[in-house]
Amino acid sequence: MAGRFAPRTARAVLPPRTAVPMRRPPAPPGPSSPPDAPPLTREWTPPGPLDLRLVLGPLRRGPADPTFRMVADGTFWRASRTPQGPGALRVAARAGRIEATAWGPGANWLLEGLPALLGAEDDPDAFVPRHRLLALTRHRRPGLRLLRTGLVMESLIPSVLEQKVTTDEAYGAWRRLVRRFGTPAPGPTAELGLYVMPDPRGWAMIPSWEWHRANVDAKRSSTILRAVRVARRLEEAAAMDLPEARARLELIPGIGPWTSAEVLQRSNGAADAVTVGDLHLPGIVGHALAGHRDADDAEMLALLAPYEGQRHRATRLILLSGRTPERRAPRRAPGDIVDL
């Protein structure tokens, strides 16, 4: 859901490279595949139940996301810009195993990161439910694991686009910008319409009028432009612990707690990255755990305090439970600056 965090405007400077300790040294990049190389494949057996729809769902930015597809046979496709270049990944569950195929220069990187992407580094047993609703939902959704992409910018840019607008506006902007300035994904993806998002230079070269045509205001486009100028430093956050990673991202004016949480939930698999500053989430959590649909961030955090370290997982389970308050007002009408 789109958030309501008001971007900061104060200018900040990134710290020296050694100022923030890494969680672990980044792995050296493996060999990349040439653009015309045959696809690479990998099979992986997850350590427990795994629901691909639940695990990979947070990566989809709307039903027409040009970087993500789910087809009728249950196969998932994903296009990414990896440290080794663009790549396309196809993932399917077959008889308790995960079968994956990857294309493009980033194919090897994508397959090496497959277990982490599908939650191998997540520990569902670390979550101890203290509300009956969460215990029942976890029992009914045993395949939920928290993914980890290891890629910051691919989650940061769409999250910035979702600031203070409706999801339809944000998804439309992401779709238009990626299709217009991205590149077709490698492999047999033409029929799917799969695209790889632009690289940092590509984002930086988008003219101001194209942001306007995509219905993106100056605040959000300026935040993205500031971020892509230091994209390499921001990508380092994927190997940091949560507090350091959050601090690194929030040094960029326009990136605050809402945006950093939305990013680190995906890039780092951060089980405790609770989203604050959201228009709807406090009321949903308050309604589910205390019968109070008008809860604010402070009350939400108090209700989630027993799940310290696992607060993001707790909110995922609440959203999956279906216990959300009934709508009391008409859905907000999307804004449109294109004709201004």
Side-chain angles (χ1 to χ4, degrees):
M1 60 179 67
R4 292 295 178 270
F5 176 72
R8 300 184 312 184
T9 57
R11 179 175 293 275
V13 179
L14 284 169
R17 182 177 301 276
T18 58
V20 179
M22 292 280 188
R23 183 176 62 189
R24 62 172 183 265
S32 62
S33 302
D36 56 350
L40 303 179
T41 61
R42 177 176 183 176
E43 284 193 359
W44 177 67
T45 302
L50 185 67
D51 187 325
L52 288 178
R53 185 191 294 267
L54 292 181
V55 175
L56 296 176
L59 297 179
R60 189 178 78 155
R61 306 289 180 156
D65 184 350
T67 69
F68 187 99
R69 289 286 186 273
M70 184 185 73
V71 296
D73 64 356
T75 299
F76 292 80
W77 290 76
R78 180 168 177 260
S80 295
R81 186 167 295 280
T82 78
Q84 297 175 3
L89 178 68
R90 180 179 65 194
V91 181
R94 302 282 187 262
R97 300 190 317 277
I98 300 298
E99 297 178 355
T101 307
W103 293 263
N108 187 67
W109 192 94
L110 289 170
L111 292 181
E112 285 183 353
L114 179 69
L117 175 69
L118 300 182
E121 299 178 4
D122 182 35
D123 183 12
D125 294 334
F127 180 79
V128 180
R130 303 186 184 278
H131 294 81
R132 185 171 182 271
L133 174 69
L134 299 189
L136 289 173
T137 306
R138 187 176 73 161
H139 177 72
R140 294 167 180 165
R141 304 281 191 167
L144 173 65
R145 285 182 174 269
L146 302 183
L147 62 87
R148 180 177 181 272
T149 66
L151 298 170
V152 171
M153 296 304 295
E154 74 167 23
S155 292
L156 176 61
I157 292 173
S159 293
V160 172
L161 292 175
E162 291 175 7
Q163 291 176 351
K164 303 187 72 173
V165 298
T166 65
T167 53
D168 287 345
E169 291 173 82
Y171 293 160
W174 172 249
R175 185 167 60 246
R176 177 184 174 92
L177 292 169
V178 171
R179 285 178 176 169
R180 181 161 177 76
F181 300 101
T183 56
T189 62
E191 292 186 2
L192 296 171
L194 210 62
Y195 279 76
V196 177
M197 76 171 195
D199 61 12
R201 177 174 173 79
W203 287 109
M205 296 298 292
I206 295 177
S208 60
W209 59 86
E210 291 291 353
W211 292 104
H212 189 87
R213 289 173 178 171
N215 203 24
V216 179
D217 57 59
K219 286 185 177 180
R220 288 178 291 152
S221 62
S222 296
T223 299
I224 292 172
L225 294 177
R226 285 191 290 266
V228 297
R229 293 188 188 110
V230 290
R232 182 170 57 85
R233 300 300 309 280
L234 295 183
E235 290 290 357
E236 293 173 358
M240 295 177 183
D241 290 328
L242 179 59
E244 291 79 16
R246 181 186 292 123
R248 174 64 62 90
L249 296 185
E250 292 180 17
L251 282 171
I252 305 301
I255 297 177
W258 184 91
T259 306
S260 65
E262 290 289 307
V263 174
L264 297 174
Q265 290 164 8
R266 297 165 172 85
S267 64
N268 294 37
D272 198 47
V274 59
T275 303
V276 295
D278 194 86
L279 179 64
H280 304 288
L281 188 60
I284 293 172
V285 172
H287 175 78
L289 300 186
H292 184 204
R293 63 178 296 161
D294 295 316
D296 57 13
D297 277 336
E299 183 172 349
M300 177 182 71
L301 293 176
L303 290 170
L304 294 175
Y307 303 108
E308 187 77 28
Q310 295 283 317
R311 291 177 295 178
H312 170 50
R313 190 191 309 277
T315 59
R316 283 290 310 274
L317 290 171
I318 289 170
L319 293 170
L320 290 172
S321 74
R323 186 173 295 183
T324 57
E326 294 183 2
R327 186 178 298 276
R328 291 189 300 194
R331 189 182 298 273
R332 176 182 170 183
D336 190 350
I337 67 171
V338 175
D339 294 328
L340 295 179

